[in-house]
Amino acid sequence: MLSKTLITAAAHASTIQPSTSIISLTSPFTRNSLRTLQSAIITHAATSKTTVIPGEANAAVLVPLCNVGDVPGVLLELRGGNLRAHAGEVSFPGGRVDPEDASFLAAALRETQEEIGLRNEQIDILGQFGPPEQSLMGLRVWPYVGFVYPHDNHRVDTGSPDDPLPSISLSSLTISQAEVATVFHLPLSAFTSPARIRLDMFRATSPYWAIDVSDLVEGFEGVSSPLGQPEVGGGKEGRIEVWGLTGWYMSLLMRIIRVYT
């Protein structure tokens, strides 16, 4: 648990102001809102460049934004409970960059198709943000943001740029049973919900907001954080949470769109 001193310091360092968001947290994504988000990601990336270190192992993940039932949010995985690494944790699709991958982005897209069946042509890449952090497994993790279209949508730019983009169906996803227990949609509004959020410290130094998603993955169990192993397992006190590196990256994205300050 965080001490009162850390909680007070974190509260001052990380505040929530949804009214200042550059995109709507409740209205569906549109072409205009994606372009606004893309511009913010590009601007942020220009100030947070990290050099690739020769010989360092790298991984890449995709933050898959989408509309589900005209509700904007992000697709997240609950990893299988029997995996050797990060079992029972909420994560983005992604994984280690292989020598055969043409780029870090190519690795993220390959892993996304392998894990949840999304094809490259379904994903509109908006950019890469960071800085990329090192995972507890020693991999430098590069996060990319993309918007997901239904597999049968041809992305024809017709109508108003403010028209809602098409929603996807979770039942259309092809989940790798060996790696992924389930996939769920987390609405953007959840990131400001007092009933869901709690302050945590990333690597014991930086405040961020962890998100309780236990009710969204009902029927599945995460793996509790082992004693002395912060950021490992499904969450704190038996909850299933978006926390650790995944929670840190989502909090960073919320800062980019000015929901968190």
Side-chain angles (χ1 to χ4, degrees):
M1 296 293 289
L2 293 176
S3 69
K4 290 184 178 180
T5 300
L6 282 177
I7 290 174
T8 301
H12 284 297
S14 183
T15 58
I16 300 173
Q17 298 185 24
S19 62
T20 66
S21 175
I22 61 174
I23 62 173
S24 173
L25 303 185
T26 55
S27 298
F29 287 110
T30 66
R31 295 205 308 274
N32 268 346
S33 65
L34 290 187
R35 299 293 79 81
T36 298
L37 176 56
Q38 183 176 47
S39 178
I41 292 171
I42 292 172
T43 299
H44 173 82
T47 64
S48 61
K49 291 182 179 179
T50 299
T51 302
V52 178
I53 301 174
E56 185 176 55
N58 293 282
V61 297
L62 178 70
V63 182
L65 303 178
C66 61
N67 292 323
V68 172
D70 281 341
V71 175
V74 58
L75 286 181
L76 292 166
E77 303 176 354
L78 182 69
R79 291 174 59 81
N82 295 321
L83 294 175
R84 288 181 295 176
H86 303 291
E89 295 181 12
V90 173
S91 70
F92 305 117
R96 182 187 289 268
V97 177
D98 291 340
E100 296 79 14
D101 292 317
S103 64
F104 292 169
L105 174 58
L109 293 173
R110 172 182 55 77
E111 290 279 355
T112 296
Q113 183 165 6
E114 291 174 1
E115 292 175 9
I116 59 176
L118 292 177
R119 300 193 301 269
N120 292 6
E121 57 266 27
Q122 290 181 249
I123 304 169
D124 183 5
I125 297 299
L126 304 179
Q128 183 261 320
F129 67 103
E133 300 287 345
Q134 195 170 47
S135 75
L136 296 179
M137 300 294 292
L139 301 173
R140 183 74 59 188
V141 182
W142 300 77
Y144 293 84
V145 181
F147 180 79
V148 178
Y149 288 82
H151 68 88
D152 58 350
N153 183 268
H154 300 291
R155 288 193 273 177
V156 177
D157 291 339
T158 59
S160 167
D162 290 315
D163 286 344
L165 291 171
S167 293
I168 68 166
S169 169
L170 298 186
S171 64
S172 69
L173 302 176
T174 303
I175 299 174
S176 169
Q177 300 298 324
E179 299 178 84
V180 181
T182 190
V183 177
F184 63 96
H185 176 252
L186 181 60
L188 294 186
S189 59
F191 292 91
T192 63
S193 170
R196 291 191 183 276
I197 61 176
R198 70 169 178 84
L199 278 169
D200 204 347
M201 298 294 286
F202 181 65
R203 307 291 156 83
T205 59
S206 303
Y208 76 100
W209 295 98
I211 313 294
D212 184 357
V213 295
S214 303
D215 60 314
L216 300 180
V217 289
E218 188 175 356
F220 292 89
E221 293 184 0
V223 178
S224 297
S225 172
L227 185 63
Q229 293 290 319
E231 303 173 24
V232 174
K236 295 280 186 71
E237 300 176 352
R239 295 183 294 268
I240 300 177
E241 296 181 313
V242 183
W243 77 316
L245 185 55
T246 303
W248 172 255
Y249 279 151
M250 283 308 312
S251 281
L252 177 55
L253 187 58
M254 290 299 107
R255 288 201 292 273
I256 291 172
I257 66 175
R258 301 179 191 169
V259 175
Y260 298 165
T261 59

